[in-house]
Amino acid sequence: MTARGAGRGRRLGLTRDKVIAAAVAMIDRDGPDAFSLRKLATELGIENMSLYNHIPNKDALLDGVAEAVLAGIVFPEQRGGTWQERIRAHAAAFRAAAKQHPKAFPLVLTRPTQSPAALEAMRSTLACFDELRLAPEEVVHVLRSYTAFMVGSIMRELGYAIYLGTMDNDQVQQRTEAIAASGDPLLTATAPYLADSDPDTEFQYGLELLISGLAARVGDS
């Protein structure tokens, strides 16, 4: 016996890609915590069982969302310029995608995937450092250090890690005073800067610190 509504998705021309695209849009709009297969089915105008013609379960769908968002990143061509310029462009593309999908992008950063899109992201990062002629083991260390910086910075900027958010002048002043009240000289000296946050400045500073450290290590100043 055919489940009620099981063929409706096919009649509407639904495909796995269309289901995943709808899930990306819903998560970007409502956030991952509010997402469910039932709500997705309602959004698509189908019954729940029809979704299973295209995806086996919610985990598989979330993996598909992460893959789709990652596949949408247009990494720069690895031609011309210095390796420093290439990694800056690569980082900018990755961060731009995160800001385009602020609620869905954490799935890219937190769900393990061996999809073609994930492998291409790794390959494109490794290609930035190819001219340094590092041993395979060391270039993987570089890849993981770069990835750790990117993940930490982006998760913090998107509000999924310790993050102060946007505060007005009074809130910044109150936090500055609270930090300084500890009496610790290191905290007191840095309190005005600990109390506020500029994601653009901090991202660029961290990236340049990573680049300059690697350049010093390989003797490429």
Side-chain angles (χ1 to χ4, degrees):
M1 180 177 179
T2 302
R4 181 170 173 248
R8 189 177 177 195
R10 292 194 182 96
R11 292 196 299 272
L12 291 173
L14 278 183
T15 64
R16 178 180 181 274
D17 287 345
K18 290 180 180 179
V19 168
I20 289 173
V24 171
M26 280 191 68
I27 293 172
D28 268 338
R29 185 188 69 206
D30 304 329
D33 292 341
F35 178 79
S36 70
L37 295 186
R38 178 183 58 80
K39 291 179 180 178
L40 177 61
T42 300
E43 185 93 354
L44 290 168
I46 61 175
E47 298 197 23
N48 289 10
M49 290 301 297
S50 295
L51 284 175
Y52 296 102
N53 293 322
H54 309 286
I55 48 97
N57 51 51
K58 183 177 179 179
D59 276 342
L61 178 59
L62 293 179
D63 286 343
V65 168
E67 179 182 357
V69 173
L70 189 56
I73 303 175
V74 181
F75 291 112
E77 292 289 333
Q78 300 299 328
R79 299 172 185 169
T82 65
W83 67 267
Q84 292 98 325
E85 291 167 340
R86 290 195 293 274
I87 199 64
R88 289 183 189 111
H90 188 280
F94 200 77
R95 183 173 177 238
K99 294 171 78 171
Q100 183 181 357
H101 298 283
K103 294 180 180 178
F105 205 81
L107 294 173
V108 173
L109 305 178
T110 57
R111 298 190 72 83
T113 176
Q114 295 298 322
S115 69
L119 293 176
E120 174 55 24
M122 284 192 288
R123 189 209 64 78
S124 66
T125 309
L126 291 170
C128 294
F129 307 110
D130 190 50
E131 72 183 67
L132 299 180
R133 299 293 186 263
L134 297 171
E137 181 179 6
E138 184 165 11
V139 79
V140 169
H141 290 324
V142 173
L143 168 70
R144 288 176 177 162
S145 295
Y146 169 75
T147 301
F149 164 72
M150 294 294 293
V151 170
S153 295
I154 289 172
M155 289 293 279
R156 184 172 186 271
E157 183 174 355
L158 297 182
Y160 291 86
I162 297 173
Y163 179 61
L164 300 175
T166 301
M167 299 191 295
D168 60 31
N169 291 336
D170 287 342
Q171 290 173 313
V172 171
Q173 182 61 33
Q174 290 171 7
R175 183 166 176 81
T176 300
E177 292 171 356
I179 294 171
S182 68
D184 183 278
L186 289 175
L187 291 174
T188 300
T190 56
Y193 311 103
L194 290 172
D196 202 2
S197 178
D198 180 348
D200 290 334
T201 298
E202 292 177 6
F203 185 84
Q204 294 304 323
Y205 185 90
L207 182 62
E208 292 305 317
L209 193 65
L210 187 150
I211 289 172
S212 61
L214 179 57
R217 181 171 180 82
V218 300
D220 182 6
S221 56

